[in-house]
């Protein structure tokens, strides 16, 4: 690893979102188990949060039940914050979501985050199977207000009903959004998770609008911005760029064939004969991400933080080679000067003071 001294702002947090991406030739269960193992690795490196995602009926993604997976991650770790990026409210009843996070917070007090979003199922068939349609996304603000009300005891949609054990607990809520969703986060006075890093002008406009419209709430006194995106770090720029290849091809495949496949090895993808349309989507999928050596990525991340004023960066990188992905996270942690956390004291032991 490089020995350069990082100038990355020390107050900015660095976190990870893992989508439990399936690799070619493996069963989905392995992807879920690897997510738990990755959480332990990034915790040891000093990352602030580790979040999991929600996808339904997608061949290339195993994470369909984020609160269940978050429980497994929290049980396998001890210091990193654990949450969802996110639970998609249009797919669920807010009452049930509150109950699930109430259970998580009760089992792992002080370590659970509740990230929620407004996306729907990947296809019409999946949306029908979930029992919802595209119009549900338009009710996100209403659903969000009800969800928060189950924790405060202030919900009015169902008088006399209480979410147990959620009521009275403080589980930090985050809104995953762009555009309209960002305005909902501002109105509700909640932290915003926004991406991706490729559409920088759109990202900056949404962040500015969020900050301008933010209304302090019982959940957050000031705007809090988490910018999300792909970051790949390796010994040289070309090696880092190759980490982006599997996901770029999966997106190109999805946009031209209608399904989102498991990740394939970069070498096989680079040898493929693509149609012009596929090639266009593939090349587009490689552009705009942050990748390169430690020095270059640290400089680029510092620029992103200065432009957006973000308090946190959520890294969403996926690739076929899990060892290379783990190395990328190690290099990134070194590049920005993360430090390993102090483990909590065991029962009967004295913890550090202060």
């Amino acid at each position: 690893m490089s020995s350069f001294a990082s100038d990355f702002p020390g107050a900015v947090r660095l976190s990870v979102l893992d989508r439990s991406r399936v690799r070619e030739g493996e069963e989905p269960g392995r992807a879920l188990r690897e997510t738990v193992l990755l959480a332990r690795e990034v915790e040891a490196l000093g990352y602030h949060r580790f979040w999991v995602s929600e996808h339904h009926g997608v061949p290339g993604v195993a994470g369909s039940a984020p609160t269940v997976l978050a429980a497994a991650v929290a049980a396998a770790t001890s210091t990193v914050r654990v949450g969802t990026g996110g639970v998609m409210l249009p797919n669920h009843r807010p009452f049930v979501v509150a109950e699930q996070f109430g259970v998580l917070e009760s089992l792992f007090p002080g370590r659970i985050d509740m990230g929620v979003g407004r996306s729907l199922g990947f296809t019409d068939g999946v949306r029908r199977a979930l029992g919802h349609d595209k119009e549900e996304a338009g009710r996100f603000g209403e659903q969000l207000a009800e969800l928060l009300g189950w924790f405060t005891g202030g919900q009015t949609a169902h008088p006399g009903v209480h979410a147990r054990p959620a009521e009275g607990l403080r589980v930090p809520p985050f809104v995953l959004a762009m555009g309209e969703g960002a305005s909902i986060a501002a109105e509700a006075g909640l932290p915003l998770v926004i991406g991706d890093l490729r559409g920088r002008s759109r990202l900056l406009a949404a962040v500015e609008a969020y900050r301008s419209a933010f209304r302090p709430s019982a959940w957050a006194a000031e705007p809090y911005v988490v910018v999300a995106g792909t970051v790949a770090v390796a010994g040289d720029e070309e090696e880092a760029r190759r980490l982006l290849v599997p996901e770029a091809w999966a997106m190109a495949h999805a946009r031209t064939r209608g399904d989102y496949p498991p990740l394939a090895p970069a070498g096989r993808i680079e040898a493929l004969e693509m149609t012009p349309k596929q090639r266009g989507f593939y090349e587009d999928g490689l552009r705009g991400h942050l990748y390169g050596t430690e020095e270059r990525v640290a400089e680029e991340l510092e620029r992103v933080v200065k432009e957006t004023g973000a308090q946190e960066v959520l890294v969403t990188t996926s690739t076929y080679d899990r060892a290379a992905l783990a190395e990328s996270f190690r290099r990134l942690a070194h590049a920005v000067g993360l430090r390993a956390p102090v483990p909590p004291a065991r029962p009967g032991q004295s913890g550090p003071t202060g």
Side-chain angles (χ1 to χ4, degrees), residues 46-330:
Y47 285 83
H48 185 62
R49 308 180 204 276
F50 187 92
W51 284 2
V52 296
S53 63
E54 174 182 342
H55 294 81
H56 297 281
V58 181
V61 183
S64 57
T67 54
V68 176
L69 185 52
V73 169
T77 55
S78 57
T79 57
V80 71
R81 294 195 63 86
V82 177
T84 55
V87 167
M88 297 302 146
L89 274 186
N91 296 334
H92 309 279
R93 298 294 296 184
F95 178 60
V96 175
V97 175
E99 290 181 323
Q100 291 172 345
F101 279 97
V103 169
L104 282 170
E105 176 64 19
S106 298
L107 291 171
F108 309 100
R111 290 182 57 214
I112 300 300
D113 299 322
M114 182 173 62
V116 296
R118 64 195 292 268
S119 295
L120 295 165
F122 192 63
T123 64
D124 288 338
V126 168
R127 287 190 286 271
R128 286 193 295 271
L130 288 167
H132 301 284
D133 55 37
K134 292 182 179 180
E135 284 66 40
E136 292 285 341
R139 296 183 55 244
F140 178 66
E142 175 188 335
Q143 294 167 329
L144 179 62
E146 181 186 334
L147 173 63
L148 298 178
W150 289 115
F151 287 91
T152 63
Q155 67 82 27
T156 57
H158 305 278
V161 181
H162 301 271
R164 310 291 189 197
E167 189 171 309
L169 296 180
R170 295 283 295 182
V171 182
F174 296 75
V175 173
L176 284 69
M178 283 291 281
E180 182 182 347
S183 65
I184 291 172
E187 184 176 349
L190 299 181
L192 174 69
V193 182
I194 191 164
D196 61 35
L197 297 174
R198 293 185 298 169
R200 196 67 57 83
S201 60
R202 184 179 175 213
L203 172 66
L204 293 174
V207 167
E208 183 179 354
Y210 162 73
R211 285 207 175 93
S212 297
F214 184 86
R215 297 167 58 183
S217 72
W219 301 97
E222 323 180 310
Y224 188 91
V225 175
V226 183
V227 292
T230 296
V231 182
V233 193
D236 60 60
E237 189 169 326
E238 184 56 33
E239 185 182 353
R241 184 180 183 274
R242 293 191 83 234
L243 294 178
L244 308 177
V245 165
E247 193 68 61
W249 168 245
M251 290 299 298
H253 188 283
R255 296 180 72 176
T256 55
R257 299 186 183 178
D259 67 276
Y260 193 59
L263 295 173
R268 188 170 71 73
I269 293 167
E270 290 169 331
L272 286 175
E273 292 207 13
M274 303 180 192
T275 66
K277 190 173 184 180
Q278 286 175 332
R279 176 66 64 180
F281 285 134
Y282 169 70
E283 294 291 347
D284 184 61
L286 293 172
R287 296 188 188 101
H289 302 294
L290 302 190
Y291 68 91
T293 62
E294 291 180 32
E295 294 91 335
R296 176 176 177 180
V297 168
E299 290 172 0
E300 288 295 320
L301 266 186
E302 185 177 356
R303 184 175 296 112
V304 168
V305 168
K306 285 181 177 178
E307 289 178 352
T308 61
Q311 288 98 329
E312 189 168 342
V313 176
L314 182 68
V315 182
T316 62
T317 312
S318 298
T319 194
Y320 178 85
D321 187 334
R322 288 194 172 95
L325 180 62
E327 177 66 13
S328 177
F329 283 123
R330 282 192 290 273

